[in-house]
Amino acid sequence: QVRLRESGGGLVQAGDSLTLSCVFDQSFSRYVLGWFRQAPGKEREFVSAVSRAGALTDYADSVKDRFTISRDNAANTMYLQMESLKPEDTAVYYCGKERRITTSWPVRSESEYDSWGQGTQVTVAS
């Protein structure tokens, strides 16, 4: 049973925009959700997170002011709007669910997430 499913990746040129979607299980609406990415030969890294109701957002410094995270719990979907894409944004992007409900914020560590999707490839050509 796939409980998180990413889509929207593709091949774009530097400076272009792309929006990723993550459909999540209805039961995940009570959890913080996040986006991570993994470039070839590198560890998976935090990109962004959104709180349960969407009021709080957090971003890695490398994407701040270029990426926007949001969620629509009624539609069971989280989004990552990416603008001014750079070749260094090239990676497989994953969405994940907070491992357990806590009051912690922000939630940036990979170990604090589970239920990963299969990922969607984003390739930014220079």
Side-chain angles (χ1 to χ4, degrees):
Q1 180 182 4
V2 177
R3 307 187 75 182
L4 287 167
R5 184 172 65 250
E6 306 92 340
S7 63
L11 172 62
V12 297
Q13 298 295 314
D16 283 353
S17 299
L18 200 61
T19 298
L20 305 182
S21 298
C22 172
V23 176
F24 55 86
D25 190 275
Q26 186 177 13
S27 65
F28 292 2
S29 62
R30 300 178 295 125
Y31 293 84
V32 168
L33 299 175
W35 287 99
F36 284 70
R37 67 186 181 187
Q38 186 168 21
K42 294 188 177 182
E43 299 287 321
R44 186 153 56 184
E45 65 174 2
F46 170 79
V47 175
S48 184
V50 60
S51 61
R52 300 167 188 87
L56 299 176
T57 58
D58 185 39
Y59 300 93
D61 288 343
S62 60
V63 306
K64 198 170 185 179
D65 298 326
R66 297 190 298 122
F67 290 11
T68 303
I69 192 171
S70 61
R71 66 190 291 171
D72 181 347
N73 287 334
N76 300 325
T77 306
M78 175 177 65
Y79 304 96
L80 185 67
Q81 183 178 349
M82 307 184 293
E83 299 177 351
S84 302
L85 282 162
K86 304 175 181 180
E88 50 263 47
D89 294 319
T90 295
V92 178
Y93 284 71
Y94 299 90
C95 57
K97 172 193 74 64
E98 181 183 25
R99 184 176 298 276
R100 59 188 179 91
I101 297 175
T102 71
T103 57
S104 300
W105 183 263
V107 184
R108 289 190 166 203
S109 174
E110 184 181 356
S111 63
E112 296 179 278
Y113 289 83
D114 62 10
S115 302
W116 301 99
Q118 83 289 347
T120 186
Q121 175 71 48
V122 173
T123 302
V124 184
S126 58

